[in-house]
Amino acid sequence: MKVDAVFEGGGVKGIGLVGAVSDIEKSGYEFENLTGTSAGAIVAGAICEIWKRVLSE
C-alpha cells in the first residue's frame, strides 16, 4: 500500500521518526510523497535519497 507522509520538526523527534519509518516499511507500506519541516525534512530527504539509490541498482 502506498502512503503519503508529513514529518514534523523537533530535534529528538527526528530520531524517533527514523524508527517509525522503519516499522512502517516493515509493515508493507511504501512512501509515495514525503515532506517535512526542520528535522522532519531531513528525514524525508534521507528516505528519498535511499530509495533513489535502491531503485537505480
Side-chain angles (χ1 to χ4, degrees), residues 4-43:
D4 298 330
V6 178
F7 301 115
E8 293 182 304
V12 175
K13 203 181 293 183
I15 296 168
L17 289 172
V18 174
V21 166
S22 176
D23 283 348
I24 290 169
E25 288 182 334
K26 286 177 185 175
S27 296
Y29 292 94
E30 294 179 34
F31 292 106
E32 187 165 29
N33 297 299
L34 300 168
T35 190
T37 60
S38 191
I42 294 170
V43 171

